[in-house]
């Protein structure tokens, strides 16, 4: 076998340093994903049928609150992907 020793490298640390997204990005993406799902859940509900009208289809929760929370989640997802947490920590 070859007894030539290789210099110790920190391959695992170097590969993490070159990752475009860090742990903070993934945590922010998870929170944004929860906001998106919550917004869609708030929009759920029963519908009107041909036999009966359900006035709940025009509730504020379903036509204002749910879509706003989902939109905030989509914006937060974009921000979580774009923002570099290393750059933010250097400015402090």
């Amino acid at each position: 076998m070859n007894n030539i020793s290789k210099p110790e490298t920190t391959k695992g640390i170097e590969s993490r340093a070159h990752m475009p997204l860090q742990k903070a990005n993934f945590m922010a993406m998870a929170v944004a994903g929860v906001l998106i799902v919550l917004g869609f859940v708030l929009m759920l509900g029963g519908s009107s049928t041909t036999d009966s009208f359900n006035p709940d289809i025009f509730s504020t929760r379903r036509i204002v609150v749910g879509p706003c929370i989902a939109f905030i989640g989509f914006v937060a997802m974009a921000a979580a992907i774009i923002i570099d947490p290393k750059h933010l920590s250097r400015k402090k």
Side-chain angles (χ1 to χ4, degrees), residues 5-60:
S5 64
K6 294 181 182 177
E8 292 295 321
T9 60
T10 55
K11 185 176 182 180
I13 296 172
E14 288 177 16
S15 66
R16 284 187 182 173
H18 296 294
M19 288 181 59
L21 299 176
Q22 302 297 317
K23 183 178 179 181
N25 292 97
F26 289 115
M27 295 299 290
M29 288 169 60
V31 170
V34 168
L35 283 174
I36 293 168
V37 170
L38 178 65
F40 279 99
V41 167
L42 288 173
M43 288 187 272
L44 287 176
S47 63
S48 294
T49 62
T50 57
D51 297 331
S52 65
F53 175 72
N54 184 1
D56 189 44
I57 62 172
F58 299 113
S59 70
T60 304

Side-chain angles (χ1 to χ4, degrees), residues 64-84:
V64 176
V65 178
C68 285
I69 290 177
F71 178 73
I72 290 168
F74 283 117
V75 170
M77 183 68 75
I81 293 170
I82 292 171
I83 292 177
D84 184 15

